[in-house]
Amino acid sequence: RSFARSLLRLLGFIFCGTAAAQMFGGVSVILMLKNYRYLFPESYLSLPGWLALATALTLLPTGVLAVSISVKCSRNQQGTFMYLLLLLFCLEMSSAALACSYSVRAASQLESAMDCLVHQHNWTCSQDPGKSAVDVIQRKLQCCGVHNYTDWLKASSSLYHPTCVPESCCKEEHSHCRGDLGHLEQLSEEGCLKKLEDQLYFAMLYVFWCCIVLSILELLAGVSNGILMRCQPFHELRIL
């Protein structure tokens, strides 16, 4: 019983601390999908992030209750704690399952969406408006094209062979770069697809593993609380 108390107190502090980590994961998913909404138009893709935020907000009172129960057992607190653990477990399993499935679904749409943006882009070597979605992506991620700069050559008309790419392909340190293909060292070497996929997988997998680890800790917390409840059975709350 003393070990259950100590473990429950430790898990309570962990729950309060990991609420920030869970909130970070949820905000990362939501902001990424919002920043690249022209690539991820489906609003449901941000659902794992919102579930992670709900989990983070529920973790705080759960952690406080765990610490409180470890100090002084209260029958009402023990019952409420069990309900919160069940709610957290449902939220986290849902968030983990959605993050896993949505990351695969969104990644499969990325290449076609990027190809569409590149082919719809209208640029000339003398003027680069730099206001389109693909320009924003290339500047933010320091990338060029879908896979590399040659995607811009394939996107051009067969009668028109450009000698440049959009200026958004230029590296930040080359302020005088105008996308001239004669100076490839001034252009970003990596394509945007890989960088976008890396960001997507990191955000989704972060949420996934946070949920899995927290679910295991919550099972330990439930067992510890159950041991304390068994040592002091209560009859007036048998409806629980």
Side-chain angles (χ1 to χ4, degrees), residues 26-219:
V27 171
S28 298
V29 171
I30 294 170
L31 286 182
M32 182 192 173
L33 296 175
K34 182 180 179 181
N35 291 336
Y36 303 112
R37 55 189 175 275
Y38 26 78
L39 295 174
F40 306 105
E42 297 87 354
S43 58
Y44 65 82
L45 291 176
S46 61
L47 186 56
W50 290 109
L51 288 177
L53 284 182
T55 301
L57 294 176
T58 312
L59 272 173
L60 289 174
T62 305
V64 172
L65 269 179
V67 176
S68 177
I69 291 170
S70 67
V71 175
K72 182 181 179 181
C73 288
S74 168
R75 297 172 179 177
N76 291 329
Q77 289 180 350
Q78 287 174 327
T80 305
F81 183 68
M82 283 299 197
Y83 277 127
L84 288 177
L85 287 180
L86 181 60
L87 174 61
L88 281 172
F89 189 79
C90 293
L91 285 172
E92 286 162 1
M93 288 297 99
S94 301
S95 181
L98 291 176
C100 188
S101 62
Y102 285 0
S103 62
V104 176
R105 184 177 302 180
S108 64
Q109 299 174 358
L110 262 180
E111 186 169 5
S112 60
M114 280 297 301
D115 277 329
C116 183
L117 288 179
V118 169
H119 282 81
Q120 289 178 352
H121 191 277
N122 183 22
W123 91 98
T124 62
C125 292
S126 58
Q127 184 181 7
D128 177 31
K131 296 180 181 179
S132 69
V134 70
D135 285 313
V136 174
I137 293 174
Q138 290 186 150
R139 287 197 175 94
K140 184 179 294 185
L141 299 181
Q142 283 294 284
C143 56
C144 186
V146 182
H147 302 284
N148 51 48
Y149 74 93
T150 59
D151 293 310
W152 289 107
L153 308 183
K154 299 173 185 176
S156 63
S157 171
S158 58
L159 299 177
Y160 170 60
H161 301 283
T163 59
C164 70
V165 294
E167 291 182 18
S168 55
C169 283
C170 295
K171 296 179 181 177
E172 288 183 346
E173 58 267 24
H174 297 288
S175 58
H176 301 292
C177 172
R178 292 296 177 266
D180 188 358
L181 292 177
H183 299 281
L184 293 179
E185 70 281 356
Q186 298 180 354
L187 305 178
S188 300
E189 301 173 359
E190 194 172 0
C192 297
L193 180 62
K194 185 179 184 304
K195 290 194 172 184
L196 283 168
E197 286 179 341
D198 290 344
Q199 283 196 10
L200 175 67
Y201 282 129
F202 173 79
M204 291 295 191
L205 287 180
Y206 181 92
V207 170
F208 174 82
W209 285 112
C210 275
C211 291
I212 295 299
V213 172
L214 279 171
S215 297
I216 296 172
L217 295 178
E218 285 156 14
L219 288 175

Side-chain angles (χ1 to χ4, degrees), residues 6-19 63-64 66-67 70:
S6 301
L7 181 60
L8 196 59
R9 182 182 300 110
L10 175 62
L11 291 173
F13 287 118
I14 292 176
F15 289 158
C16 292
T18 52
V64 172
V67 176
S70 67

